């Protein structure tokens, strides 16, 4: 039975509600706002008091810490440990301070080495010195290398009362100052006076202020006895939260009373400040306000109710007349009778009923047409539209789509009342019918899915949506539609099967799989993850990534997330912490995806413990190999199958002139420094014996090839090359080489020495054979000259014979002198005479080749200390190179085919030098080779013509004489060779 069954009651109720509701809403809003405002003020005042206590506490601690630091500076300022005055300073500070009870210094063993006590407490000195401070909280931190800072509460050896300590370190010592708690108690006492008017009804204090240490023991308390009892206060959740660094204000119940409690951490010490005030006393104004609001509200509601009753009665009187007219219209009268004029809205409603009576006839005519259109519309719906009565559940209407979906026409559905049940799949028949019946009996619209059997036997999934037609509070008809959802259902089943297959694959995966959100909270894990970490799935899903994963210091969780979301999957290494706290190295493949518009991350973690061990063993092996390679004196390098450098040891880098291995790695070693053969022939890569090992696999050895260093200097090497074989496959070549420049020089010099010795012996023999007849020729010519007059043609001929004979004798004498072995000592020599002797040996060859020789020698040049034979060899080597350059440029005679020699005195600082300049106008030397032609085995001559040792030997001779040799040349124009030799000092 409805409460509002008549329009009179409805109007009355609505009028009353319209009048009363705004009043109730305003009263409720005002009361809630006022109540909320007062509660906020209570919470803010509680938090403010806690902050003030924390501020004053931190100020006290900071000032005491500054005092102790200043004392440490005084004690450690140079006199401590020398004059042993630390006890004096410590005692002076204790006596001058109201807070410090004692100050002492401990060494690394926990032994007191200096102690400061008050003047009246000196008797306790032996107690302090015998005490074991190794278990002291601050000493334990000091031993671990941490900053000691402030301690918790403990009983003082001096006063026997609760106290605290401050610890500071300098060098290898720990300074500890013990402070009484009186000052902190005064801070709490001052705030207690502030709240003193707040007393409960039974006279008990309605507030508690307290400072507690890290263990929850009271340092200062409103009730001073609590400090002396040292009763732990960790049973208060706000204290626990504050000790963990969280600021908390909440309302709790204790001993039958409600308290508003605040907890605030003291950051510097790890302590906490706790304030608790009687909530009922603080909220007393709210209760008074509540009674005032209720009184005002009751009066307002009473007035509004009376006003609503009067207004509704006045409005319903004309409506009663309108109801009588409508009843007559319902009884069959087609003309609606108008009543007396009333309210405008009611008069308009009356006119509307009159117009309605006129339209009823017209609408009855169009009803048939509307029914036809309705059937067409229903039959166009993609589903079986039906109507059934209740409680018989008999179908009274079925649309034509029934035949398309089920295979049976609508007439078949309507002919048999139970036909719908027979079409349901046998497995769904019982529950589907009972479910729909229960929902209808409960008066609920509903929808559900089940299977129908088509006329041809196949299964059709349908979603049935049913709306109830309720009349007089009870369902009388069912209006519904059955939609074919076979395709979507089969897709959903396939998706579910796919998800099950995916879950099976995930659970069987060898890698641990973790799915977590942007906050790092684990959403799902696979079985391998549970086995790897030792947690159950339910426990593991309550944890965050940071609980199980340790990242490398260079990585950051937030930056990893951004990188993955912006740039795709990322692979990195980290460590996972198992349940037993064991750390396991893992390789993580991290990716991201969207699930229901929520970004999630998927991490595949693979245990790489064995790989790490293998890598460590491999690295150790590589370090041993590298140490062996870098310890050998020979150069060693390796190259891959593309002739690219793969490694080079320290000796190899030094020989090749490179600073680091990175300058060689990845570069073609043949093109970089394998230049050719010592006979001047270049070495191309296709003919290189080292590169050919890659195809032949045969070891190679050579001592007749040249390498070049980073500066382009060529040097001869001897190398041994072997293939590097991995399994059955060749992967590269290793080459061991060393510089054989000195060996080559010694060999060439020994060969040259032997040649010169043989040439000297031969020249000496020839010279002796020539010397006897030429002496006879000279003597006989002189006799003839003495007998002839000094005029006449015959006399001139004899003069020429004598001159030429003496020239031959001079040549023979110089040849004999050059063939003799020079001594190890330098002797005073004339450089012009040595040059003249050298020219006498090569003058004939110079004239024969058509070379014009000019010599410009300064007068009265100083003597030099020299080995004559070595300087003659020096001059002959340079003249030989000049003759070769001119012959190459001018095969025949030419006026520009000339050599110019000049000798002059130059000075450098206080030292004098004789400069000898040999200038030829031959082919010149390329600019790129000028710096290298003085190196051994570097020549500008064609292959087989020169050895490349002449200039290097010449440079060696000049250096041994303390001089310098350099070359200036313009290719195709001329070459100038400068030699400077120091003159002999007069002393």
């Amino acid at each position: 039975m409805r409460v509002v069954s008549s329009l009179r009651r409805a109007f009355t109720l609505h009028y009353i509600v319209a009048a009363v509701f705004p009043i109730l809403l305003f009263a409720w809003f005002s009361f809630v706002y006022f109540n909320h405002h007062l509660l906020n003020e209570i919470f803010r005042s509680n938090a403010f008091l806690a902050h003030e206590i924390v501020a004053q506490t931190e100020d006290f601690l900071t000032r005491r810490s500054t005092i102790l630091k200043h004392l440490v500076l005084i004690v450690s300022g140079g006199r401590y440990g020398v004059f042993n005055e630390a006890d004096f300073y410590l005692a002076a500070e204790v006596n001058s301070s109201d807070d410090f009870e004692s100050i002492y210094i401990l060494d690394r063993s926990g032994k007191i080495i200096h102690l400061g006590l008050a003047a009246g407490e000196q008797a306790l000195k032996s107690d302090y010195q015998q005490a074991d401070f190794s278990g002291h909280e601050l000493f334990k931190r000091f031993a671990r290398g941490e900053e000691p800072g402030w301690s918790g509460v403990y009983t003082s050896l001096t006063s026997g009362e609760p106290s605290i300590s401050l610890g500071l370190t300098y060098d290898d010592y720990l300074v500890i100052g013990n402070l009484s708690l009186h000052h902190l108690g005064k801070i709490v006492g001052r705030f207690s006076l502030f709240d003193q008017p707040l007393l409960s009804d039974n006279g008990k204090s309605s507030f508690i202020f307290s400072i507690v240490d890290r263990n929850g023991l009271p340092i200062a308390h409103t009730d001073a006895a609590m400090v002396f009892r040292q009763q732990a206060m960790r049973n208060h959740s706000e204290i626990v939260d504050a000790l963990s660094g969280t600021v908390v204000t909440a309302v709790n119940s204790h001993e039958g009373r409600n308290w508003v409690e605040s907890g605030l951490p003291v950051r510097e010490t790890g302590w906490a400040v706790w304030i608790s005030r009687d909530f009922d006393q603080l909220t007393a104004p709210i209760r008074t306000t509540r009674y005032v609001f209720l009184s005002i509200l009751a009066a307002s509601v009473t007035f509004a109710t009376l006003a609503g009753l009067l207004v509704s009665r006045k409005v319903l009187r004309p409506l009663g007349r309108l109801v009588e007219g409508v009843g007559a219209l319902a009884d069959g009268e087609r003309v609606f009778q108008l009543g007396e004029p009333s309210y405008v809205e009611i008069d308009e409603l009356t006119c509307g009923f009159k117009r309605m009576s006129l339209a009823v006839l017209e609408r009855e005519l169009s009803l048939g047409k509307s029914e036809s259109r309705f059937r067409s519309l229903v039959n166009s719906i993609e589903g079986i539209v039906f109507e059934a009565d209740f409680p018989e559940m008999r179908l009274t209407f079925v649309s034509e789509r029934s035949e398309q979906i089920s295979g049976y026409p609508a007439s078949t559905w309507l002919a048999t009342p139970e036909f719908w049940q027979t079409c349901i799949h046998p497995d769904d028949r019982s529950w589907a019918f009972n479910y729909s019946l229960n929902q209808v009996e409960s008066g609920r619209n509903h929808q559900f899915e089940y299977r129908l059997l088509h006329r041809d036997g196949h299964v059709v999934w349908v979603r049935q949506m049913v709306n109830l037609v309720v009349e007089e509070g009870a369902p009388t008809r069912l209006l519904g539609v059955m939609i074919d959802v076979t395709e979507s259902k089969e897709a959903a089943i396939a998706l579910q099967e796919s998800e099950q297959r995916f879950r099976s694959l995930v659970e069987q995966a060898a890698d641990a799989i973790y799915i977590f959100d942007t906050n790092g909270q684990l959403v799902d894990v696979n079985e391998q993850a549970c086995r790897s970490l030792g947690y159950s799935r339910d426990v593991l899903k309550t944890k965050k990534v940071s609980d199980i994963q340790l990242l490398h210091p260079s990585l950051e969780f937030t930056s990893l997330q951004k990188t993955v979301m912006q740039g795709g999957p990322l692979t990195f290494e980290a460590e996972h912490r198992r349940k037993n706290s064991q750390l396991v190295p893992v390789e993580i493949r991290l990716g991201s995806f969207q699930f229901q518009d929520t970004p999630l991350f998927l991490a595949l973690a693979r245990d790489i413990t064995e790989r790490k061990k293998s890598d460590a063993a491999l690295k150790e092996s590589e370090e041993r190999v590298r140490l062996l390679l870098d310890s050998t004196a020979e150069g060693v390098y390796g190259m891959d199958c593309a002739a690219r450098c793969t490694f080079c040891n320290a000796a190899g880098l030094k020989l090749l002139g490179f600073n680091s291995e990175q300058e060689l790695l990845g570069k073609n070693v043949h093109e970089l420094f394998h230049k050719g053969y010592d006979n001047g022939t270049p070495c191309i890569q296709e003919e290189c014996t080292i590169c050919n090992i890659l195809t032949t696999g045969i070891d190679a050895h050579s001592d007749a090839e040249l390498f070049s260093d980073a500066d382009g200097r060529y040097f001869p090497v001897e190398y041994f090359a072997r293939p590097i074989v991995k399994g059955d496959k060749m992967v590269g070549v290793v080459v061991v080489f060393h510089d054989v420049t000195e060996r080559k020089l010694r060999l060439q010099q020994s060969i040259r020495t032997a040649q010169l010795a043989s040439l000297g012996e031969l020249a000496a023999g020839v010279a002796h054979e020539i010397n006897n007849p030429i002496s006879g020729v000279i003597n006989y010519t002189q006799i003839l000259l003495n007998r002839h007059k000094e005029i006449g043609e015959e006399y001139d001929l004899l003069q020429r014979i004598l001159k030429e004979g003496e020239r031959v004798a001079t040549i023979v004498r110089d040849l004999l002198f050059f063939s003799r072995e020079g001594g190890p000592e330098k002797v005073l020599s004339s450089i012009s005479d040595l040059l003249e002797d050298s020219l006498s040996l090569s003058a004939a060859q110079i004239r024969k080749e058509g070379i014009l020789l000019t010599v410009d020698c300064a007068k009265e040049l100083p003597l030099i200390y020299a080995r004559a034979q070595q300087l003659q060899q020096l001059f002959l080597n340079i003249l030989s190179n000049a003759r070769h350059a001119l012959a190459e440029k001018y095969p025949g005679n030419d006026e520009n085919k000339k050599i110019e020699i000049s000798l002059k005195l130059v000075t450098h600082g206080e030292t004098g030098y004789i400069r000898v300049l040999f200038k030829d106008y031959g082919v010149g030397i390329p600019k790129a080779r000028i710096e290298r032609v003085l190196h051994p085995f570097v020549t500008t001559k064609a292959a087989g013509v020169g050895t490349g040792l002449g200039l290097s030997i010449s440079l060696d001779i000049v250096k041994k004489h303390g001089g310098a040799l350099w070359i200036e040349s313009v290719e195709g124009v001329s070459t100038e060779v400068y030699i400077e030799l120091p003159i002999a000092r007069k002393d």
Side-chain angles (χ1 to χ4, degrees):
M1 185 68 179
R2 291 183 302 168
V3 176
V4 183
S5 59
S6 66
L7 189 59
R8 181 182 299 278
R9 290 183 179 180
F11 266 100
T12 303
L13 181 60
H14 290 167
Y15 272 118
I16 293 173
V17 170
V20 173
F21 180 74
I23 297 174
L24 292 176
L25 181 62
F26 173 75
W28 173 83
F29 176 78
S30 300
F31 177 75
V32 169
Y33 174 77
F34 185 72
N35 185 64
H36 179 72
H37 178 73
L38 287 178
L39 288 177
N40 284 342
E41 285 298 321
I42 292 171
F43 275 62
R44 278 196 296 270
S45 66
N46 229 51
F48 173 77
L49 290 174
H51 277 284
E52 285 299 310
I53 294 176
V54 168
Q56 293 192 23
T57 301
E58 290 179 341
D59 179 65
F60 168 76
L61 298 178
T62 300
R63 284 188 281 111
R64 299 310 177 272
S65 177
T66 302
I67 292 171
L68 192 59
K69 290 179 181 176
H70 180 69
L71 180 61
V72 170
L73 290 176
I74 294 174
V75 172
S76 62
R79 294 181 293 173
Y80 172 64
V82 178
F83 301 103
N84 198 21
E85 297 178 357
D87 289 348
F88 170 76
Y89 287 107
L90 298 181
E93 180 59 39
V94 172
N95 287 313
S96 63
S97 173
D98 295 334
D99 301 303
F100 283 108
E101 295 180 346
S102 62
I103 303 175
Y104 47 90
I105 300 175
L106 303 178
D107 60 13
R108 281 287 179 184
S109 64
K111 179 182 178 182
I112 288 184
I113 60 173
H114 290 288
L115 173 64
L117 294 173
E121 305 293 342
Q122 293 299 322
L124 298 175
K125 189 171 184 179
S126 60
D127 294 339
Y128 270 91
Q129 291 176 342
Q130 294 175 5
D132 182 12
F133 290 94
S134 61
H136 197 288
E137 175 186 355
L138 300 184
F139 184 80
K140 289 181 179 179
R141 297 183 202 164
F142 171 67
R144 292 195 300 267
E146 301 175 0
E147 183 62 29
W150 290 93
S151 72
V153 181
Y154 69 96
T155 302
S156 170
L157 291 176
T158 304
S159 63
E161 297 179 355
S163 63
I164 55 175
S165 294
L166 169 62
L168 297 176
T169 62
Y170 78 93
D171 295 337
D172 269 352
Y173 302 100
L174 172 63
V175 180
I176 297 180
N178 297 329
L179 290 91
S180 68
L181 304 181
H182 296 307
H183 191 92
L184 293 175
K186 291 178 180 179
I187 293 175
V188 172
R190 285 197 297 270
F191 282 91
S192 299
L193 293 175
F194 173 78
D195 262 12
Q196 194 169 12
L198 291 176
L199 296 175
S200 62
D201 296 337
N202 56 10
K204 293 183 180 180
S205 176
S206 59
F207 57 87
I208 301 173
F209 297 158
S210 180
I211 304 173
V212 298
D213 66 6
R214 287 182 287 269
N215 298 315
L217 296 175
I219 297 174
H221 196 278
T222 305
D223 183 2
M226 287 289 291
V227 178
F228 285 92
R229 287 199 299 269
Q230 285 297 291
Q231 181 177 349
M233 301 175 66
R234 296 184 68 93
N235 58 326
H236 297 281
S237 60
E238 286 73 14
I239 294 179
V240 176
D241 292 337
L243 290 175
S244 65
T246 305
V247 179
V248 181
T249 298
V251 177
N252 297 308
S253 295
H254 302 296
E255 300 177 356
R257 297 166 65 184
N258 294 322
W259 301 83
V260 55
E261 299 178 339
S262 296
L264 189 66
V266 181
R267 304 293 180 184
E268 182 180 353
T269 61
W271 302 346
V273 170
W274 177 64
I275 293 179
S276 178
R277 297 197 293 168
D278 192 326
F279 183 75
D280 295 332
Q281 291 291 329
L282 294 172
T283 57
I286 298 178
R287 292 194 296 273
T288 303
T289 303
R290 185 183 306 161
Y291 299 145
V292 174
F293 267 89
L294 289 176
S295 300
I296 296 173
L297 178 62
S300 300
V301 169
T302 302
F303 177 79
T305 302
L306 294 175
L309 291 173
L310 293 174
V311 172
S312 63
R313 181 179 298 275
K314 184 177 180 180
V315 172
L316 288 175
R317 189 177 295 113
L319 285 178
R321 293 194 298 267
L322 179 60
V323 170
E324 293 176 357
V326 172
L329 180 61
D331 291 337
E333 294 185 8
R334 297 302 183 218
V335 180
F336 186 77
Q337 300 295 327
L338 296 175
E340 296 178 359
S342 180
Y343 297 103
V344 175
E345 292 80 6
I346 296 177
D347 291 343
E348 290 179 353
L349 181 61
T350 304
C351 292
F353 274 109
K354 183 174 180 63
R355 290 193 299 271
M356 183 179 67
S357 65
L358 297 175
V360 168
L361 293 174
E362 182 181 355
R363 293 181 178 179
E364 286 180 351
L365 296 175
S366 63
L367 183 60
K369 297 179 180 179
S370 298
E371 183 179 357
S372 177
R373 287 196 300 270
F374 170 75
R375 288 184 177 275
S376 299
L377 178 62
V378 168
N379 290 327
S380 65
I381 296 175
E382 292 289 338
I384 303 175
V385 180
F386 65 90
E387 181 185 50
D389 56 13
F390 185 80
E392 291 80 5
M393 299 292 284
R394 182 181 68 253
L395 294 172
T396 57
F397 174 80
V398 177
S399 66
E400 296 176 358
R401 290 281 183 175
S402 60
E403 185 170 3
Q404 178 181 346
I405 294 176
S406 67
Y408 298 99
S411 58
T412 304
W413 284 71
L414 297 173
T416 306
E418 298 84 7
F419 183 76
W420 170 63
Q421 299 180 42
T422 61
C423 286
I424 300 176
H425 191 281
D427 294 342
D428 298 343
R429 188 172 297 160
S430 176
W431 75 262
F433 180 78
N434 291 332
Y435 172 78
S436 181
L437 182 61
N438 291 335
Q439 294 297 313
V440 174
E441 290 176 346
S442 301
R444 292 191 290 266
N445 297 333
H446 59 279
Q447 57 177 310
F448 60 103
E449 294 180 357
Y450 59 92
R451 292 170 291 179
L452 287 179
L453 287 176
H454 194 274
R455 189 171 189 175
D456 61 10
H458 74 269
V459 175
V460 179
W461 279 93
V462 296
R463 178 182 293 117
Q464 182 168 308
M465 294 172 286
V466 179
N467 288 332
L468 302 181
V469 177
V470 179
E471 297 177 355
E472 296 182 358
T476 58
R477 287 182 299 154
L478 284 69
L479 303 178
V481 61
M482 302 177 193
I483 300 175
D484 186 350
V485 294
T486 303
E487 293 184 1
S488 61
K489 192 66 177 180
E490 290 176 348
I493 293 173
L495 177 61
Q496 184 178 5
E497 293 175 352
S498 175
E499 290 178 350
Q500 291 177 350
R501 288 195 300 272
F502 173 75
R503 169 58 70 177
S504 177
L505 291 174
V506 167
E507 293 300 336
Q508 295 177 5
D511 294 338
I513 300 176
Y514 305 89
I515 299 175
F516 55 91
D517 58 20
T518 54
N519 296 321
Q521 179 64 49
L522 290 174
V523 177
D524 200 359
V525 296
N526 70 341
E527 186 61 30
Q528 179 59 30
C530 298
R531 289 195 298 268
S532 176
L533 298 178
Y535 293 100
S536 66
R537 189 189 302 270
D538 292 338
V539 173
L540 192 54
K541 288 169 66 175
T542 62
K543 296 185 175 295
K544 288 191 173 184
V545 175
S546 58
D547 297 333
I548 63 171
Q549 181 168 291
L550 297 178
L551 292 174
H552 190 273
S554 63
L555 301 176
E556 186 180 350
F557 183 71
T558 305
S559 61
L560 286 176
Q561 287 182 321
K562 292 181 180 178
T563 301
V564 170
M565 295 182 71
Q566 296 174 2
L570 184 66
T571 301
F572 59 93
E573 292 186 3
E575 289 183 316
H576 277 181
R577 182 186 290 106
R578 288 177 172 167
K579 185 178 180 181
N580 59 5
S581 299
Q582 179 185 0
L583 295 179
V584 181
V586 293
E587 180 182 73
I588 296 177
R589 178 70 172 173
L590 182 62
S592 64
F593 63 95
Q594 291 280 339
F595 180 73
Q596 295 180 353
D597 296 331
T598 301
L600 294 176
F601 296 91
L602 174 66
L604 302 179
R606 175 170 297 176
D607 188 340
I608 57 173
T609 302
E610 295 300 325
R611 191 176 79 185
K612 283 288 187 181
K613 292 180 180 178
S614 300
D615 291 345
L618 178 60
K619 184 177 180 180
E620 183 180 357
S621 176
E622 289 178 348
E623 289 178 350
R624 287 198 301 269
V625 173
R626 170 58 68 179
L627 182 61
L628 291 173
L629 288 176
D630 288 341
S631 299
T632 184
E634 286 81 9
V636 183
Y637 71 87
M639 67 181 192
D640 58 18
C641 294
R644 295 186 297 262
C645 181
T646 56
F647 71 89
C648 183
N649 72 339
L653 292 173
K654 183 177 180 181
L655 290 172
L656 295 172
F658 292 98
N659 296 322
S660 68
E661 193 177 29
Q662 299 301 321
E663 299 178 59
L664 291 175
L665 295 180
K667 296 182 180 179
N668 188 302
V669 291
H670 179 85
E671 296 177 355
L672 190 62
F673 54 77
H674 195 179
K675 298 302 182 182
Y677 303 95
D678 57 8
N679 61 5
T681 305
C683 178
I684 61 176
Q685 186 167 341
E686 289 75 12
E687 298 176 357
C688 175
T689 53
I690 296 176
C691 295
N692 287 340
I693 295 177
L694 296 171
T695 56
T696 63
I698 301 175
D699 298 356
H701 168 256
S702 175
D703 60 355
E705 298 186 28
L706 300 177
F707 283 4
S708 68
D709 60 17
D711 297 327
R713 182 183 70 86
Y714 288 16
F715 60 93
V717 296
E718 180 182 17
Y719 66 77
F720 297 86
R722 291 180 60 85
I724 302 174
V725 180
K726 186 177 182 180
D728 297 331
K729 183 180 179 181
M730 185 188 305
V731 295
V733 176
V734 61
V735 181
V736 181
F737 68 97
H738 59 275
D739 188 346
V740 294
T741 301
E742 295 296 329
R743 191 178 77 184
K744 288 280 187 179
L745 281 173
R746 289 195 299 270
L747 178 61
Q748 291 291 339
Q749 288 177 348
S750 65
I751 293 174
R752 180 62 174 165
T753 300
Q755 290 175 342
L756 291 175
S758 300
L759 180 60
E761 292 177 1
L762 178 62
V766 172
H768 282 292
E769 292 298 325
I770 295 175
N771 197 37
N772 292 329
I774 201 63
S775 297
V777 171
I778 293 172
N779 292 332
Y780 293 145
T781 303
Q782 188 64 47
I783 293 172
L784 292 174
L785 281 174
N786 293 336
R787 292 179 180 180
H788 281 75
K789 298 179 179 180
E790 295 182 0
I791 56 174
E793 184 178 353
E794 292 180 355
Y795 187 83
D796 292 337
L797 290 175
L798 289 173
Q799 286 281 2
R800 291 182 182 179
I801 292 172
L802 180 61
K803 182 178 180 180
E804 294 299 325
E806 289 177 348
R807 189 166 69 85
V808 170
T810 299
I811 292 173
V812 170
R813 185 178 64 252
D814 292 342
L815 187 60
L816 285 172
F817 177 78
F818 184 72
S819 65
R820 289 197 298 272
E821 182 178 358
E825 299 295 332
K826 299 177 183 177
V827 297
L828 282 173
S829 305
S830 170
I831 193 169
S832 57
D833 292 343
L834 295 176
L835 177 62
E836 185 178 354
D837 292 343
S838 301
L839 292 175
S840 67
L841 294 175
S842 60
Q845 188 67 29
I846 292 174
R847 288 195 300 272
K848 179 180 177 182
E849 294 177 357
I851 299 174
L852 178 61
L853 177 65
T854 60
V855 179
D856 180 14
C857 180
K859 296 181 180 180
E860 298 180 358
L861 289 174
L863 299 179
I864 65 171
Y865 281 103
R867 295 185 182 92
Q869 289 82 3
Q870 290 185 356
L871 289 188
Q872 284 185 353
Q873 182 180 355
L874 165 66
F875 296 149
L876 288 174
N877 285 344
I878 296 174
L879 287 170
S880 175
N881 290 338
R883 286 174 35 236
H884 182 272
L886 289 169
E888 185 176 353
K889 185 175 181 179
Y890 305 107
N893 293 328
D894 192 280
E895 60 180 4
N896 293 320
K897 193 175 183 181
K898 57 185 177 180
I899 299 175
E900 298 175 351
I901 305 175
S902 65
L903 293 85
K904 63 179 181 179
L905 179 64
V906 296
T907 57
H908 298 298
E910 297 180 357
T911 305
Y913 293 86
I914 296 178
R915 176 181 290 176
V916 184
L917 169 62
F918 292 83
K919 182 175 182 179
D920 68 78
Y921 294 88
V923 294
I925 302 173
K927 185 177 181 180
R929 285 199 173 188
I930 287 181
E931 296 295 331
R932 295 190 285 116
V933 293
L934 294 174
H935 297 161
F937 307 105
V938 178
T939 180
T940 59
K941 300 175 184 177
V945 176
T947 62
L949 292 172
L951 285 176
S952 65
I953 293 174
S954 299
L955 178 62
D956 185 62
I957 292 172
V958 172
K959 287 183 177 179
K960 288 180 178 178
H961 283 75
L965 184 151
W966 72 92
I967 300 174
E968 296 178 1
S969 180
V970 179
E971 187 175 5
V973 178
S974 64
T975 299
E976 297 177 346
V977 180
Y978 292 88
I979 301 171
E980 289 186 353
L981 298 171
I983 63 174
R985 295 182 178 180
K986 293 182 180 181
D987 56 357

